[in-house]
Amino acid sequence: MMDTAKTNALAAQLLADMGARTKYKPLRLDGATIDADTAYEVQRQVVQHAQQAGAGQVAGYKIGLTSGAMQRFCGVDEPILGRLLTGRQVQSGTTVRRADFVRLGLESELALRIAKPFPAMRDGNVFALLECIDQAAAAFEIVDDRDADYSSLDAYSIAAENSWNAGMILGPPISARELGSFGNLQGRLLINGAEVAQGNSSDVLGSPLNVMAWLGRFAQRAGFSLEPGQWVLTGSMIATKFPAVGDRVRFELGSLPPVEISVV
C-alpha cells in the first residue's frame, strides 16, 4: 500500500531538484526503488505543479521506451507514460533554446491524434483502433534528462518525472487514412543536412497500433479517459540525440511532411 505522506515528501523533493536543475538521480523510498503506483502519483503532482506554473492543460500522452533502441539506450525493458501539456508545444520550423534545459534531447517519433474514445482493449483487437485515429504527423519529443547517467536508470523514476517530457514538436499532420496501419514507415534523422540515424515505425512495440493499445489498457487500469483531439507520441524509433547550439535537426518519416527544429 502506498504511504501517502512519504510519497508526497518524495514528490516535493523531486520538484525541488527539478527547480534547482540538479543532476538526475533515481528515486528511492525507504532505500528501495519506487513502484508504479508511487511513480504515477509523483507524476500527477509534478504535472499539477507545471500546470499551476502556466504549462497549460493535458494535450495528450507520450509513451516512452517503446523501441529496442530506446530500451537498450536507457537500460530498461518496459514502456512508461507521460503527459503532454498545451503550453509546451512548439511548431515545426521554429527554434528552441538550449539554455532552457539541463540537457536538451530530441526523440524522433510518429504522433497520432485521437478521434474518438477507444473500445475496450483486449489482446488481438488493435486494428479496431484505426477508426479511433484521424491524424498523423512526424514529431520530435523534447526531453530533459537532467544530465542523467544512463548506467543507473530505472523506468519508474523516469516516469515519476513525467517521463522526462519537456515538450512536443509536430510536423504538418495528414489524414491517418493515408498511412494505413502506420507500420513499416522508414525514418531518417538529419543534423545540419547529414543523416545521423535511421529507424522504422515498426520498431515501437512492433507497431504504433500496439503502442496505442498499450495506452488504452493503461488508461482503463488507471481510470482516466482518452479524449478526442489529444495527441499521442508513440515512442522514439531512434535513440535520443542531444543537439548542440547551432544545430538544425530534421526528421523524415515515410510520406509524412518532415518535422524540423533549430537549436539556439
Side-chain angles (χ1 to χ4, degrees):
M1 181 178 296
M2 184 169 57
D3 186 316
T4 300
K6 289 182 179 180
T7 300
N8 291 346
L10 189 67
Q13 183 59 59
L14 175 58
L15 285 166
D17 290 346
M18 292 170 65
R21 296 165 64 98
T22 60
K23 184 180 177 69
Y24 162 89
K25 59 182 179 182
L27 298 179
R28 296 290 182 265
L29 195 61
D30 295 333
T33 56
I34 63 173
D35 61 15
D37 288 343
T38 300
Y40 286 109
E41 169 55 24
V42 172
Q43 182 188 113
R44 184 191 68 79
Q45 296 187 40
V46 167
V47 170
Q48 182 180 60
H49 183 271
Q51 291 178 308
Q52 291 170 345
Q57 300 304 306
V58 173
Y61 302 91
K62 63 83 53 90
I63 315 302
L65 311 183
T66 57
S67 70
M70 285 304 300
Q71 290 178 356
R72 289 189 297 272
F73 189 58
C74 294
V76 296
D77 60 1
E78 58 186 320
I80 54 176
L81 175 140
R83 285 164 168 82
L84 308 172
L85 299 173
T86 55
R88 295 177 175 175
Q89 294 185 32
V90 181
Q91 295 298 314
S92 177
T94 59
T95 61
V96 294
R97 282 170 32 90
R98 171 65 185 81
D100 290 342
F101 308 89
V102 179
R103 180 162 64 174
L104 168 67
L106 293 176
E107 300 190 346
S108 306
E109 313 208 10
L110 172 66
L112 300 174
R113 194 176 76 167
I114 296 170
K116 63 181 184 180
F118 288 7
M121 294 311 306
R122 301 181 181 87
D123 291 342
N125 72 335
V126 297
F127 288 100
L129 293 177
L130 288 171
E131 296 183 358
C132 301
I133 301 164
D134 64 352
Q135 290 190 1
F140 285 124
E141 181 186 2
I142 303 173
V143 298
D144 188 348
D145 67 4
R146 289 196 293 127
D147 198 27
D149 177 355
Y150 280 64
S151 68
S152 60
L153 300 179
D154 72 79
Y156 290 141
S157 288
I158 300 171
E161 201 165 325
N162 199 28
S163 297
W164 287 345
N165 178 260
M168 174 175 65
I169 307 167
L170 282 178
I174 67 171
S175 168
R177 291 183 180 275
E178 296 182 36
L179 294 182
S181 64
F182 316 120
N184 203 33
L185 302 176
Q186 189 64 29
R188 299 173 65 235
L189 182 66
L190 301 95
I191 298 180
N192 300 324
E195 183 180 300
V196 298
Q198 293 187 4
N200 190 286
S201 63
S202 293
D203 293 340
V204 294
L205 295 186
S207 164
L209 283 179
N210 291 334
V211 177
M212 299 297 277
W214 182 93
L215 171 61
R217 291 190 293 269
F218 186 102
Q220 288 169 12
R221 292 194 305 270
F224 65 86
S225 299
L226 303 175
E227 302 295 339
Q230 291 180 329
W231 283 94
V232 179
L233 294 175
T234 57
S236 188
M237 58 194 77
I238 294 171
T240 310
K241 300 299 179 184
F242 302 98
V245 171
D247 280 349
R248 293 175 294 105
V249 190
R250 174 185 174 101
F251 177 51
E252 301 172 351
L253 182 60
S255 61
L256 289 160
V259 57
E260 300 179 292
I261 197 72
S262 296
V263 180
V264 298

